[in-house]
Amino acid sequence: MRRTRGPLPGPLLVITDRHQAHQPLETIAAEVGRGGGRWLMFRDKDLPARERRELAGRLAKIAAEQGFALSVSADVDLACAVGAAGVHLQAATQVARARERLADAIIGVSAHSVADVAAAAAAGADYVTLSPIYLTESKPGYGPALGIEALRAAAGHGIPVLALAGVTSATAAACLAAGADGVAVMGEVMRADDPARIVRDLVEALRSGRKAGSGFSIGERCR
């Protein structure tokens, strides 16, 4: 079932990585909310299943308290179990199966080329993260940077594109100007001693480049 595409929770998606984090993920999640962030993706796929589920539950509680949307990376069952707003997949081929379990959830796909963006759009995904736009400390060997021009090419495929990798408050507006609908950030927030301040700076940079969206209405998702 294809949900009617609505606005995403906001133009900033913060992605977790406890290996880079200077504070517990629960603390950072709360700081994301206090900094004005409206969307967090729980990644950390290397955690044992029980630990990952317990941590996802704690993050879902914080998301509800702080009023932001939580997405879960890769695991549709976990996203459903904790009532997450969405799930983020590794390939467009996974979208149809995820949609069977998650009715009106936000379904995203990782894209590493314009062809990947086109495939995700055709599969009915709600957004893609396109990376790496810039060189990044989070994944230093993660392929050559695609650059701003990749965002221009991706923007013509009718699906929201979030610029990922190496994005900062200094480059966020340039990503929007090139056609991105928003940005996704990991290390910039995870490594920060003051995550709320970094989030505020990013939100303000995005607001300056483009009016913030009205948000995403979170309803029942699991079947």
Side-chain angles (χ1 to χ4, degrees):
M1 181 180 177
R2 177 76 171 87
R3 85 173 179 93
T4 300
R5 183 178 292 157
L8 298 176
L12 172 65
L13 171 61
V14 177
I15 304 172
T16 70
D17 181 359
R18 72 190 190 287
H19 297 295
Q20 297 188 70
H22 287 187
Q23 302 177 58
L25 291 186
E26 296 94 327
T27 301
I28 294 175
E31 289 290 293
V32 167
R34 282 194 282 272
R38 300 272 63 89
W39 194 7
L40 180 76
M41 184 204 300
F42 176 43
R43 193 172 181 273
D44 294 272
K45 295 178 287 186
D46 59 331
L47 275 170
R50 181 175 178 178
E51 290 182 36
R52 192 172 190 234
R53 179 165 180 156
E54 290 173 350
L55 180 51
R58 294 195 295 273
L59 294 178
K61 182 178 179 181
I62 293 167
E65 292 170 348
Q66 293 286 335
F68 62 79
L70 177 71
S71 287
V72 171
S73 178
D75 192 332
V76 172
D77 290 337
L78 180 57
C80 191
V82 301
V87 66
H88 188 87
L89 307 171
Q90 298 306 301
T93 54
Q94 300 169 332
V95 171
R97 180 169 292 183
R99 191 67 74 189
E100 290 175 0
R101 288 292 318 280
L102 298 166
D104 63 344
I106 309 163
I107 296 182
V109 173
S110 293
H112 305 293
S113 68
V114 176
D116 288 346
V117 174
D126 296 303
Y127 73 94
V128 296
T129 56
L130 181 60
S131 68
I133 299 303
Y134 302 104
L135 295 178
T136 171
E137 290 183 37
S138 298
K139 295 183 178 180
Y142 192 51
L146 298 174
I148 288 290
E149 290 305 315
L151 293 172
R152 299 187 198 282
H157 288 279
I159 184 171
V161 178
L162 305 183
L164 171 62
V167 179
T168 68
S169 57
T171 57
C175 292
L176 295 186
D181 292 84
V183 302
V185 177
M186 181 191 290
E188 184 80 355
V189 175
M190 293 297 111
R191 295 189 297 266
D193 293 326
D194 186 354
R197 180 182 64 80
I198 297 298
V199 170
R200 280 194 296 271
D201 289 347
L202 284 160
V203 169
E204 182 56 38
L206 290 164
R207 184 178 290 118
S208 297
R210 175 176 173 267
K211 285 187 177 180
S214 60
F216 180 77
S217 179
I218 301 173
E220 187 66 30
R221 284 174 170 74
C222 300
R223 289 184 164 184

